[in-house]
Amino acid sequence: MYTTLIQVRTIRYHRIADELRSRVQSGAYASGRLLPSEAELSSEFSVSRVTVRKALEMLRDEGLVDSRQGFGWFVAGDPVRQPLGRLATIEDQMRASGMTPERHVLEFAFEKAPRDVARALGTQNVLRVLRINLADNEPFALVTVWCAAERGQHLSRADVERTPFYELLDVPLQGATQTIAADAATKTEALHLNVPEGAPVLRCRRVTTGADGKTVLVSHHVFPGHRTEFVVDLPSAEPSIAPSGLRLVE
Amino acid sequence: MYTTLIQVRTIRYHRIADELRSRVQSGAYASGRLLPSEAELSSEFSVSRVTVRKALEMLRDEGLVDSRQGFGWFVAGDPVRQPLGRLATIEDQMRASGMTPERHVLEFAFEKAPRDVARALGTQNVLRVLRINLADNEPFALVTVWCAAERGQHLSRADVERTPFYELLDVPLQGATQTIAADAATKTEALHLNVPEGAPVLRCRRVTTGADGKTVLVSHHVFPGHRTEFVVDLPSAEPSIAPSGLRLVE
DNA sequence: GTCGATTACTTGTGTATACAACTCTAATAC
DNA sequence: GTATTAGAGTTGTATACACAAGTAATCGAC
């Protein structure tokens, strides 16, 4: 009975990423603290700098670490939990997590809407507001909101920076539908959210309707994957819909 | 009055990614079809192969393309929408999207639970089932389910491959709480889901409780970001909770 | 016809090198 | 004291080259 010995190549950047992940998770580098430089790690692990970078980029994609050109690589922080259907604002959630919320309008423009937005709002002429939400001075969410220009013409830039849209709009609301997806940050998003291009983000699209069932607001929210997560309660079915309710588990 | 001309460096791999994204989205390369090889693109854009790869990896991180060693780069497919709180199974959603669902148990073991799972289930002795859900023969979700060994001892591996847990467990269910986050695929997940390490995934954790409020099942679901997205309806508040209800918009 | 080996081509990992862009500190000028 | 600049060090982009690992087509043997 003979067995064959197979020589399996080890991928260096995986090994290094595993080692560094282990160090970060064991607390060897405190949150916000610098890791050794790429040159130091290259020397420590006896590999080229490209290999070190590949390992570090894996960890960045996992949200464990982040980097700034010229500054170095450092440990990233912890996510905020946002309940779905719990009817709380982003700012409320930040405060609940002990953070200081802040919002800045980046863009405020009346323009032609993208096709899907125009279709939802029933008009091409819209007010678009691009806003960044900060938590403790760090980017937390990048939000784009569209409403019909007819409604938006009464709103000032200072208004929408200070006050949520729903308080500014004189419309009874019925509810909203939101989609949640994972995606990689685009160049623009990465710039605003201070994450690398390609980093995992939660991409949410929300359509808010008035009491008449017509769309009042369309908004897109982008959250860095390492900064937040959603929580949803899936209640069991009432006896009247028992067959569907039983499906909630699998 | 003088103005200063600033020479701004253009990042080549960004430009190339933009061009290739445009081609993919305009339908120049049909779904599943090969893109030109890295060598061809390197020649076409007059850049090194590393620069081409960097551009292609950006597109892969966006879920637009994928690659297989030796085969080439090809266009990836479209996401499935999964409603939250709509009480449908993964398989139901696939069928609704015209896909053929399939499930395979990868691991079925009685073992000591990870600490958080043990705490939730109130025992260290658990049955752990690792399962892959396929849609049209392509990996769609990687699912790990834990239940107490006391309950799991009556279940066979064939049972859990064929039938959802909730139909196998003789327990009245109260509901579930699920978290949703964006993350980068680990090495193991990437292998099973046939995505590159670091690709964006939706990472869901679910705790299912019985009628007595005690945890019956703990499960983790990992979906490739480009394969699915969640939908949630955020109903407006009833008059009795109007202040909260108004917050759902912002 | 089938099967295995070979070949050409593909993507994946890795080294070495160079330069761009950025950060921080120390030195210098006012 | 403050403001500016230089220098050392950092990460980010890019080239050239090499080899590993994988795929598909072709060729030869049976």
Side-chain angles (χ1 to χ4, degrees):
Chain A
M1 180 85 145
Y2 297 95
T3 60
T4 308
L5 281 181
I6 302 178
Q7 187 86 331
V8 179
R9 184 191 191 189
T10 64
I11 309 298
R12 297 180 192 191
Y13 71 85
H14 285 182
R15 290 303 188 84
I16 294 163
D18 289 345
E19 170 60 29
L20 295 177
R21 185 186 301 108
S22 175
R23 290 184 191 173
V24 169
Q25 293 181 335
S26 71
Y29 309 121
S31 183
R33 285 299 192 81
L34 280 171
L35 272 66
S37 73
E38 294 174 2
E40 282 165 347
L41 293 171
S42 173
S43 179
E44 178 186 340
F45 291 104
S46 300
V47 294
S48 77
R49 197 180 135 222
V50 171
T51 306
V52 165
R53 287 188 60 80
K54 192 106 175 151
L56 286 166
E57 277 158 6
M58 278 181 65
L59 295 189
R60 176 163 56 192
D61 287 348
E62 294 173 24
L64 268 195
V65 301
D66 205 354
S67 69
R68 283 209 325 269
Q69 185 169 342
F71 178 70
W73 290 82
F74 51 91
V75 180
D78 278 338
V80 175
R81 290 165 74 90
Q82 300 189 57
L84 286 174
R86 263 304 172 79
L87 312 178
T89 63
I90 291 176
E91 281 93 348
D92 286 344
Q93 291 310 314
M94 290 188 213
R95 288 194 194 94
S97 299
M99 295 173 178
T100 307
E102 203 174 329
R103 57 203 277 151
H104 300 297
V105 170
L106 303 176
E107 286 169 31
F108 180 99
F110 290 90
E111 61 192 26
K112 301 295 184 190
R115 196 176 322 165
D116 58 326
V117 173
R119 194 168 50 224
L121 290 174
T123 178
Q124 283 198 322
N125 302 307
V126 295
L127 165 64
R128 176 178 64 84
V129 176
L130 178 64
R131 188 186 81 218
I132 182 81
N133 284 66
L134 305 181
D136 289 339
N137 281 310
E138 296 293 330
F140 183 80
L142 187 66
V143 181
T144 311
V145 186
W146 290 270
C147 75
E150 194 179 61
R151 283 206 170 94
Q153 70 186 335
H154 306 293
L155 308 179
S156 73
R157 180 172 177 146
D159 283 341
V160 300
E161 182 150 288
R162 187 178 48 228
T163 311
F165 261 87
Y166 75 84
E167 288 182 19
L168 295 173
L169 295 181
D170 191 14
V171 191
L173 299 175
Q174 172 180 302
T177 299
Q178 174 164 324
T179 63
I180 303 166
D183 201 357
T186 64
K187 180 179 174 183
T188 303
E189 288 163 357
L191 269 174
H192 285 121
L193 294 172
N194 196 28
V195 296
E197 276 194 70
V201 293
L202 281 169
R203 188 180 299 287
C204 307
R205 293 188 173 88
R206 189 182 277 184
V207 176
T208 307
T209 52
D212 59 359
K214 291 188 178 173
T215 302
V216 174
L217 291 174
V218 177
S219 54
H220 290 181
H221 306 224
V222 185
F223 302 92
H226 66 281
R227 302 285 339 247
T228 199
E229 62 186 12
F230 292 111
V231 192
V232 60
D233 289 322
L234 303 168
S236 70
E238 300 298 329
S240 62
I241 56 170
S244 293
L246 287 176
R247 287 181 185 167
L248 75 86
V249 177
E250 297 279 40
Chain B
M1 181 87 148
Y2 298 95
T3 59
T4 307
L5 281 182
I6 301 178
Q7 188 85 332
V8 179
R9 183 189 190 188
T10 63
I11 310 298
R12 297 179 192 193
Y13 71 84
H14 284 182
R15 290 302 189 84
I16 295 164
D18 289 344
E19 171 60 27
L20 294 177
R21 185 186 302 107
S22 175
R23 290 185 190 173
V24 169
Q25 293 181 336
S26 72
Y29 310 120
S31 184
R33 285 298 193 80
L34 280 172
L35 272 66
S37 74
E38 293 176 2
E40 283 165 348
L41 293 171
S42 174
S43 179
E44 178 185 340
F45 291 105
S46 300
V47 293
S48 77
R49 200 180 132 221
V50 172
T51 307
V52 165
R53 286 189 61 79
K54 193 107 177 152
L56 286 166
E57 278 159 8
M58 277 180 65
L59 295 189
R60 176 161 56 192
D61 287 348
E62 293 171 26
L64 268 195
V65 301
D66 205 353
S67 69
R68 280 208 327 268
Q69 183 171 339
F71 179 68
W73 291 81
F74 50 91
V75 180
D78 279 337
V80 175
R81 290 165 73 90
Q82 299 190 55
L84 286 174
R86 262 307 172 78
L87 310 180
T89 63
I90 291 177
E91 281 93 347
D92 286 343
Q93 292 311 313
M94 290 190 215
R95 289 196 193 94
S97 298
M99 295 174 178
T100 307
E102 203 176 329
R103 60 205 274 155
H104 300 297
V105 171
L106 302 176
E107 285 168 32
F108 181 100
F110 292 90
E111 60 192 25
K112 301 296 185 190
R115 196 176 324 165
D116 57 325
V117 173
R119 195 167 50 223
L121 289 175
T123 178
Q124 284 198 320
N125 301 309
V126 294
L127 166 64
R128 177 179 63 86
V129 176
L130 178 63
R131 188 185 83 217
I132 183 81
N133 283 67
L134 305 181
D136 290 337
N137 282 310
E138 296 293 329
F140 182 79
L142 187 65
V143 181
T144 310
V145 186
W146 289 271
C147 73
E150 193 177 61
R151 288 209 165 92
Q153 70 187 337
H154 305 295
L155 308 177
S156 74
R157 183 172 175 147
D159 285 339
V160 301
E161 184 152 286
R162 187 178 49 227
T163 310
F165 260 86
Y166 75 86
E167 287 181 19
L168 294 173
L169 296 180
D170 191 15
V171 191
L173 299 174
Q174 172 177 303
T177 299
Q178 175 165 321
T179 62
I180 303 167
D183 200 357
T186 65
K187 180 178 172 183
T188 302
E189 289 163 356
L191 269 173
H192 284 122
L193 294 171
N194 197 28
V195 296
E197 278 195 68
V201 293
L202 281 170
R203 189 179 300 287
C204 307
R205 294 188 173 89
R206 189 182 279 185
V207 176
T208 308
T209 52
D212 58 359
K214 290 187 179 173
T215 301
V216 173
L217 291 175
V218 176
S219 55
H220 290 179
H221 306 225
V222 185
F223 301 92
H226 66 283
R227 304 279 348 242
T228 200
E229 64 187 11
F230 292 110
V231 191
V232 60
D233 288 323
L234 304 168
S236 70
E238 299 298 328
S240 60
I241 56 170
S244 294
L246 289 174
R247 285 181 187 165
L248 75 87
V249 177
E250 298 279 41

